[in-house]
Amino acid sequence: MDAPTGPTGTGTPKMTLLRSWVPGANDPACPFPLNNLPCGVIDTGDPRTDFCATAIGDQVLNLALLEEAGLLRPRVWRQPSATMPQGTMRTHWNGFMAMADWDAYRAALTDLLAEHGNPALRDAPDLRAQVFAPLAQAQLTWPVRIAEYTDFYAGRHHATNVGTMFRGADNALPPNWLHMPIGYNGRASSVVLSGTDIRRPWGQVKGPDEDAPRFAPSARFDLELELGAVVGRASHGPLTVDQADANIFGYVLLNDWSARDIQAWEYQPLGPFQAKATATTISPWIIPAAALGSFRVPPPVRDVPLLPHLRDTGPMFYDIDLSVTLNGHRIAATNARELSYSAAQQLAHHSSSGCPMRTGDLLGSGTISGAERAERGSLLELSWGGKTPLTLPDGTTRSFLEDGDHLALGGAARGDGYQIGFGPCEGTLLPAHDDPFKG
């Protein structure tokens, strides 16, 4: 399935492959070439010895050991300095994001791994044996301590589809949608890492033909294909769009699991609450914004001018192919350039009231959908609210997720002979627990 063309215009020229001496890094199918250098944390089985790492080719590189060898600065690569959602002290990238010179680190690491760069690591076989490990054997854990989580509604096709279903085509977009990125404050405690099983939630639901609400497992549980932006630098006042763009460290894939029947009953007048509180899955590698710089594309054509604090100042959207796979079958493919508000605009708007933003804040883009059915990033849209169920290649159908379903999101920005991959973002839906309030 081809990705949609998205907005027209000239974006940033795409960079060619940066060649490395690391095996596999120059393979066009490799998600982690030298151009990428994603940011992750390797789980050693003991939180006290977890370490920050990057992926290059088919290897992971231990940045803590590289720093101890005097080849990398600063000293922030092994700091179990904060509590993760599970209540465990763990290493993460927050300290680096808050304190370090991102560009200087990236330049030094690129030089060490480049085919004709600094030979200090390439020509030291004993050191290489210590700092490298096979990617296939690496167990990834949280790359970032999530400070706060905000989810937006920045995809026009998704907003139009959902609005059409619930309000009719003439009133599909709320009147404020063309003027600002709409969002809601989610739960950082509900953010989980790729590979975590998701339990079907209970909640209060009320069908259109029911006289009273009832407490029941969600029967219309769904996915949402999104990008998540990770805030690297804290701020304590309004940010311009350019300042906000500079404060975004990188991006992850994000699945905003959604209980549509719970949402339909609860969302007026204050918006989603319990429907979005079950789980939000993110991928374990943060893809640096710098790695995606050559994949920037212009904003969409605006129906109305944005207010000055949100106006487009250049190409801040991204040409990233995205996909949804259900039980091994690809059910949708779209592109991140279908968004109508960039992460920088989302962050600028979030800060405009004086709201402090923290290192580790996570901003969800909202569901990313294209114009065609096969480009829709949720089952709500793919099945049009259950009226036209989706038929899978194995002959089964889906209106919403069934127990045992396995969801996997994919993402890659594709350049000339290379790609910037995001790694996995997946989870399996488990049956609801027995009624927690029975007896």
Side-chain angles (χ1 to χ4, degrees):
M1 182 185 304
D2 294 330
T5 56
T8 59
T10 302
T12 306
K14 287 185 169 58
M15 185 184 295
T16 57
L17 173 69
L18 299 176
R19 297 192 64 84
S20 172
W21 51 265
V22 178
N26 304 323
D27 183 344
C30 174
F32 303 122
L34 183 55
N35 302 64
N36 193 338
L37 299 180
C39 305
V41 173
I42 303 302
D43 185 349
T44 65
D46 182 347
R48 295 171 297 180
T49 59
D50 291 349
F51 58 88
C52 290
T54 192
I56 174 75
D58 60 0
Q59 303 287 306
V60 291
L61 177 59
N62 186 324
L63 300 176
L65 292 180
L66 203 60
E67 184 276 328
E68 290 175 9
L71 297 182
L72 198 63
R73 295 176 180 271
R75 302 179 64 89
V76 294
W77 305 112
R78 185 182 279 149
Q79 291 189 353
S81 56
T83 302
M84 298 303 289
Q86 298 86 349
T88 303
M89 301 295 284
R90 287 199 179 277
T91 296
H92 48 69
W93 282 78
N94 292 57
F96 171 85
M97 292 191 296
M99 298 188 304
D101 184 331
W102 304 346
D103 292 337
Y105 150 77
R106 186 171 176 83
L109 189 57
T110 299
D111 191 32
L112 281 171
L113 298 172
E115 188 174 52
H116 301 295
N118 183 345
L121 180 57
R122 182 189 66 214
D123 295 348
D126 290 343
L127 180 59
R128 289 203 314 270
Q130 295 178 47
V131 300
F132 282 109
L135 174 61
Q137 299 176 16
Q139 180 66 43
L140 291 160
T141 186
W142 288 90
V144 59
R145 179 176 59 84
I146 305 295
E148 306 282 355
Y149 168 52
T150 304
D151 196 31
F152 286 88
Y153 192 49
R156 181 164 187 166
H157 291 298
H158 173 69
T160 300
N161 288 338
V162 173
T164 299
M165 277 184 258
F166 291 99
R167 293 185 297 274
D170 292 339
N171 299 298
L173 290 178
N176 58 357
W177 197 92
L178 294 174
H179 297 272
M180 64 179 179
I182 300 171
Y184 68 90
N185 288 312
R187 292 287 302 177
S189 63
S190 295
V191 179
V192 300
L193 200 63
S194 175
T196 304
D197 292 337
I198 308 301
R199 182 72 65 175
R200 183 183 295 275
W202 286 74
Q204 193 172 125
V205 298
K206 181 183 178 297
D209 299 325
E210 294 178 310
D211 294 330
R214 54 194 168 82
F215 189 69
S218 172
R220 295 165 67 91
F221 202 58
D222 200 2
L223 75 132
E224 291 194 349
L225 169 63
E226 304 190 22
L227 274 183
V230 178
V231 175
R233 296 188 180 97
S235 59
H236 300 280
L239 297 170
T240 66
V241 171
D242 288 329
Q243 289 170 334
D245 185 58
N247 281 8
I248 295 172
F249 178 69
Y251 295 84
V252 294
L253 297 177
L254 186 151
N255 183 358
D256 179 28
W257 303 86
S258 302
R260 302 299 186 187
D261 41 2
I262 297 174
Q263 183 176 356
W265 171 235
E266 76 176 3
Y267 82 102
Q268 295 187 23
L270 295 181
F273 183 42
Q274 292 296 81
K276 302 283 191 171
T278 299
T280 299
T281 300
I282 62 170
S283 50
W285 292 108
I286 304 173
I287 307 306
L292 298 168
S294 63
F295 297 93
R296 288 180 178 243
V297 292
V301 176
R302 303 286 179 192
D303 291 16
V304 296
L306 296 176
L307 293 178
H309 76 288
L310 288 177
R311 283 180 187 159
D312 302 293
T313 61
M316 292 188 184
F317 295 76
Y318 292 99
D319 179 8
I320 303 170
D321 290 333
L322 300 168
S323 64
V324 180
T325 300
L326 173 60
N327 298 336
H329 306 297
R330 190 171 71 170
I331 61 172
T334 185
N335 192 286
R337 59 187 171 186
E338 294 291 352
L339 289 169
S340 291
Y341 293 99
S342 67
Q345 288 167 318
Q346 294 165 28
L347 179 55
H349 186 61
H350 207 332
S351 72
S352 63
S353 63
C355 175
M357 305 304 297
R358 300 176 181 175
T359 296
D361 276 354
L362 178 66
L363 308 180
S365 65
T367 305
I368 305 173
S369 295
E372 304 300 325
R373 184 186 184 190
E375 299 165 356
R376 297 172 183 170
S378 69
L379 279 170
L380 176 67
E381 297 167 88
L382 286 166
S383 73
W384 206 251
K387 294 179 180 179
T388 57
L390 183 70
T391 300
L392 301 179
D394 62 6
T396 61
T397 61
R398 291 291 186 281
S399 293
F400 294 95
L401 295 174
E402 296 185 1
D403 294 345
D405 279 348
H406 180 80
L407 259 297
L409 308 186
R414 307 187 192 282
D416 182 9
Y418 74 100
Q419 60 178 318
I420 304 295
F422 277 71
C425 182
E426 54 191 336
T428 299
L429 180 61
L430 303 181
H433 287 298
D434 291 338
D435 188 341
F437 301 111
K438 185 176 181 179

